[in-house]
Amino acid sequence: MPTPSLAVLPIRRLTLRDLTACADLSQDRGWPREEHKWGFLLAAGKGYGIDDPEGGLVAACVVTEYGPYDQPDLGAIGMVLVAERHARQGVGRRLMQHVLSLMGTTPLTLHATPNGRPLYEELGFKVIGRAEMLKGHFTPGGSAPAVRTRAATAEDLAAILRLDEEVLSTDRTHLLTRLPAFADQLRVVEEGGRITGYAAAWPNMDTHVVGPLVARDTETAQALLASLATGTDRPLRTDIDVRHEELRAWAKERGLVPVAYNAVMAYGISELPGDWNRRFAPLTVAAV
């Protein structure tokens, strides 16, 4: 029986039952399997994929929506992958067009690699910023940050949600309430009885990813990053908005090395909502 054309294979919603197939697709493209992250995104967001008649997935992506449940005010697209054997045949474009159609007038954002950026530009996405990926073993040095951090407790969650919505100008409750189970560490800075910053470190293959990182100022962000580093012997990885030059320089002085730059792109908006001065790193580049 002949293999159906890629153009007629249906696009369907993915579920947690597709976790292994998604990880297999990542591995097929030379990415880490990242099963822990895939599971988080499939639970908190909406996955879309195309089944390969010969087994596995032809393509996949995840859309994470923010704001009101029935009328999101922002969507983040991530984990856009096409199997190597089906690459350069228009599958990625078809999947993205499907997502754009479903999302209607909802503004969208994504982090694009140099390889993916041309397709997104063709579809109408504009570059609005950049993030630098840093990775390595954190080595304390210089004077310790004066800001004190502590482990978050269940009682802190409401304050974390309020701070996050204030900084990002959108509601991420469905993501952040999953954070205590997803992350190995969740730390906060409290000053005068008020949470002024928080950050998490979650396991991803052989690293701990630091994100989200939301803080009142650079010194607070440094304190959170340093405190998370003391709680792991794995290399850290984080993706810092390039406008936070002081934090990036400080992290590099302490052993984190540049890996890559990703373009932050948007569709339907000229910049991300909220206060970038307090938004240092996303939960993951596949979300916000």
Side-chain angles (χ1 to χ4, degrees):
M1 181 179 296
T3 301
S5 165
L6 295 175
V8 300
L9 293 174
I11 298 172
R12 68 170 176 87
R13 279 286 301 273
L14 301 176
T15 72
L16 284 170
R17 290 189 296 272
D18 299 297
L19 177 58
T20 299
C22 290
D24 289 345
L25 185 59
S26 290
Q27 188 172 356
D28 174 76
R29 291 315 304 257
W31 288 22
R33 291 182 62 82
E34 299 189 307
E35 293 185 22
H36 187 58
K37 181 168 77 171
W38 270 113
F40 179 84
L41 293 170
L42 289 172
K46 297 177 180 178
Y48 298 94
I50 301 173
D51 289 313
D52 190 330
E54 298 181 9
L57 290 169
V58 170
C61 72
V62 179
V63 182
T64 310
E65 298 174 350
Y66 308 95
Y69 178 79
D70 57 345
Q71 193 173 0
D73 49 36
L74 182 66
I77 301 173
M79 310 303 280
V80 181
L81 285 165
V82 177
E84 178 66 38
R85 61 192 177 280
H86 299 300
R88 295 168 293 280
Q89 298 179 50
V91 181
R93 177 178 287 100
R94 181 179 166 225
L95 186 59
M96 285 293 299
Q97 289 171 332
H98 178 78
V99 169
L100 292 177
S101 175
L102 290 174
M103 296 301 290
T105 59
T106 301
L108 301 171
T109 185
L110 55 79
H111 282 67
T113 64
N115 287 338
R117 178 174 163 178
L119 169 61
Y120 303 133
E121 289 179 329
E122 287 178 24
L123 294 170
F125 283 81
K126 307 291 186 184
V127 175
I128 60 170
R130 287 200 307 164
E132 184 178 31
M133 183 193 302
L134 302 176
K135 179 180 176 181
H137 285 281
F138 183 92
T139 304
S143 57
V147 177
R148 298 189 63 175
T149 76
R150 62 169 174 82
T153 68
E155 287 72 27
D156 294 320
L157 185 56
I160 289 172
L161 291 171
R162 284 194 298 270
L163 173 63
D164 192 79
E165 185 166 1
E166 177 186 321
V167 172
L168 275 80
S169 292
T170 191
D171 182 4
R172 298 199 296 175
T173 297
H174 60 304
L175 260 74
L176 300 187
T177 51
R178 290 177 164 89
L179 202 53
F182 177 66
D184 285 343
Q185 297 185 72
L186 178 59
R187 299 191 68 82
V188 298
V189 171
E190 182 179 10
E191 298 177 53
R194 180 169 174 265
I195 300 294
T196 59
Y198 82 95
W202 50 271
N204 191 33
M205 308 302 288
D206 64 338
T207 68
H208 268 118
V209 176
V210 174
L213 176 52
V214 171
R216 182 185 64 181
D217 50 31
T218 299
E219 186 178 29
T220 303
Q222 290 172 345
L224 286 164
L225 183 54
S227 66
L228 291 170
T230 65
T232 178
D233 57 2
R234 298 187 190 185
L236 295 183
R237 179 195 140 181
T238 191
D239 298 84
I240 301 174
D241 186 317
V242 297
R243 291 172 290 187
H244 291 295
E245 298 177 2
E246 185 179 352
L247 181 64
R248 290 191 295 132
W250 176 87
K252 291 171 187 177
E253 290 170 359
R254 283 152 184 80
L256 302 192
V257 299
V259 176
Y261 285 97
N262 285 328
V264 181
M265 307 188 76
Y267 182 93
I269 48 174
S270 59
E271 61 182 348
L272 291 180
D275 180 6
W276 74 265
N277 291 284
R278 292 185 286 168
R279 185 180 62 236
F280 288 83
L283 192 157
T284 163
V285 293
V288 295

